[in-house]
């Protein structure tokens, strides 16, 4: 269990960028991890984010005050032509990338949280070959956080796009046939950054980000990433 100090929530803190975010923020905060696998955090809420009813029950059992919620966990979903993607596959991606995040946001608000960071992506505003699941759900996630900010102006929502990172997701993308998915050439031609660098920059500048009027931040535009 956490001590009496208020902490922060990071979803998906057991791998990839989320694991790096845990290492960065745990230097100053107690981290509550919400993911399907255990993290190094002392406080883990283990649940598959596709299980929405299970997620609600787990969160109801864990009323923990926290100041910041970083919505990092997500799924790319299956890759393929839009016509070939099954509706069940799109629904699973929607559950994980959108609906689970709404449940976590609402729970966080009830637990005193006023600051939210959503890890966004270029796929939220641009379509890529074969990425129906990811582009549709990241676009919906982006729109949802913008709507929360509009409806609840006393709270603070930021969307941060870290750019192309050297993670398992990037490896999956680079394994795709560029003949079938020409947009994937971009990921072969662009150097993937170390997620540790992105997480440290978010950690070092998140207070500055929240003081800014900008709701959407692209880390690639920050001088520290150039």
């Amino acid at each position: 269990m956490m001590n009496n100090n208020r902490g922060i929530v990071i979803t998906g803190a057991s791998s990839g960028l989320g694991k790096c975010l845990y290492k960065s923020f745990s230097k100053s905060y107690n981290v509550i991890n919400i993911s399907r696998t255990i993290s190094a955090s002392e406080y883990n809420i283990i649940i598959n984010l596709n299980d929405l009813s299970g997620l609600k029950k787990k969160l109801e059992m864990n009323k923990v005050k926290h100041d910041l919620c970083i919505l990092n966990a997500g799924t790319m979903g299956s890759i393929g032509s839009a016509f070939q993607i099954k509706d069940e596959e799109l629904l699973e991606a929607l559950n994980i990338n959108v609906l689970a995040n709404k449940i976590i946001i609402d729970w966080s608000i009830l637990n005193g949280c006023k600051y939210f960071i959503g890890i966004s992506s270029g796929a939220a505003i641009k379509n890529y070959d074969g990425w129906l699941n990811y582009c549709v759900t990241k676009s919906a996630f982006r729109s949802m956080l913008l709507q929360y900010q509009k409806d609840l102006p006393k709270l603070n929502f930021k969307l941060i796009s870290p750019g192309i990172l050297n993670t398992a997701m990037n490896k999956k993308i680079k394994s795709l046939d560029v003949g079938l998915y020409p947009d994937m050439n971009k990921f072969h031609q662009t150097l993937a950054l170390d997620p540790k660098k992105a997480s440290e920059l978010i950690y070092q500048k998140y207070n500055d980000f929240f003081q800014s009027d900008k709701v959407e931040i692209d880390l690639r535009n920050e001088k520290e990433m150039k």
Side-chain angles (χ1 to χ4, degrees):
M1 296 293 291
M2 288 178 60
N3 60 32
N4 292 326
N5 293 331
R6 291 168 69 93
I8 67 168
V9 163
I10 300 176
T11 66
S14 57
S15 63
L17 176 60
K19 185 175 181 178
C20 295
L21 287 167
Y22 162 75
K23 290 180 179 178
S24 295
F25 279 87
S26 63
K27 291 182 288 189
S28 303
Y29 299 97
N30 294 307
V31 175
I32 309 156
N33 166 54
I34 303 176
S35 67
R36 62 182 177 179
T37 54
I38 195 165
S39 74
S41 173
E42 293 182 3
Y43 200 102
N44 290 275
I45 299 175
I46 305 302
I47 186 70
N48 187 328
L49 296 183
N50 189 38
D51 179 6
L52 300 182
S53 61
L55 174 62
K56 288 181 180 180
K57 291 176 182 176
K58 279 286 183 78
L59 294 180
E60 288 171 359
M61 294 166 55
N62 289 272
K63 293 182 172 65
V64 185
K65 295 293 182 183
H66 54 282
D67 298 313
L68 171 65
C69 178
I70 303 179
L71 301 162
N72 161 77
T75 181
M76 189 173 186
S78 52
I79 307 296
S81 171
F83 179 69
Q84 297 171 332
I85 299 296
K86 297 178 181 178
D87 52 356
E88 295 90 352
E89 295 172 316
L90 178 56
L91 179 59
E92 180 175 340
L94 281 166
N95 284 345
I96 295 170
N97 291 350
V98 185
L99 295 175
N101 282 312
K102 184 185 190 308
I103 291 169
I104 293 168
I105 290 170
D106 294 346
W107 168 77
S108 289
I109 292 172
L110 291 174
N111 282 276
C113 187
K114 294 183 179 180
Y115 296 90
F116 296 83
I117 292 174
I119 300 300
S120 191
S121 166
I125 56 174
K126 178 182 178 181
N127 287 79
Y128 290 84
D129 298 318
W131 284 22
L132 175 79
N133 286 321
Y134 196 60
C135 289
V136 168
T137 57
K138 292 303 282 188
S139 176
F141 173 69
R142 171 181 179 267
S143 180
M144 181 174 69
L145 264 66
L146 293 176
Q147 190 67 43
Y148 265 87
Q149 184 64 83
K150 185 175 182 64
D151 291 347
L152 301 169
K154 291 185 178 180
L155 301 182
N156 302 272
F157 291 85
K158 299 295 179 184
L159 284 153
I160 298 179
S161 297
I164 298 175
L165 302 179
N166 186 16
T167 62
M169 177 177 168
N170 186 55
K171 291 181 176 67
K172 177 180 178 180
I173 293 168
K174 291 174 73 172
S175 71
L176 297 172
D177 184 349
V178 295
L180 293 175
Y181 308 107
D183 287 339
M184 300 307 101
N185 271 312
K186 170 185 176 180
F187 296 88
H188 291 275
Q189 297 166 356
T190 304
L191 179 66
L193 297 175
D194 187 339
K196 294 178 183 177
K197 187 172 183 179
S199 69
E200 273 298 300
L201 183 56
I202 294 171
Y203 172 63
Q204 292 165 10
K205 299 193 70 172
Y206 77 98
N207 280 316
D208 294 336
F209 293 154
F210 279 116
Q211 290 173 9
S212 168
D213 292 333
K214 291 175 60 178
V215 178
E216 299 186 79
I217 296 116
D218 190 332
L219 289 189
R220 291 169 294 185
N221 295 330
E222 301 296 315
K223 64 179 184 297
E224 295 88 346
M225 293 290 278
K226 294 179 179 179

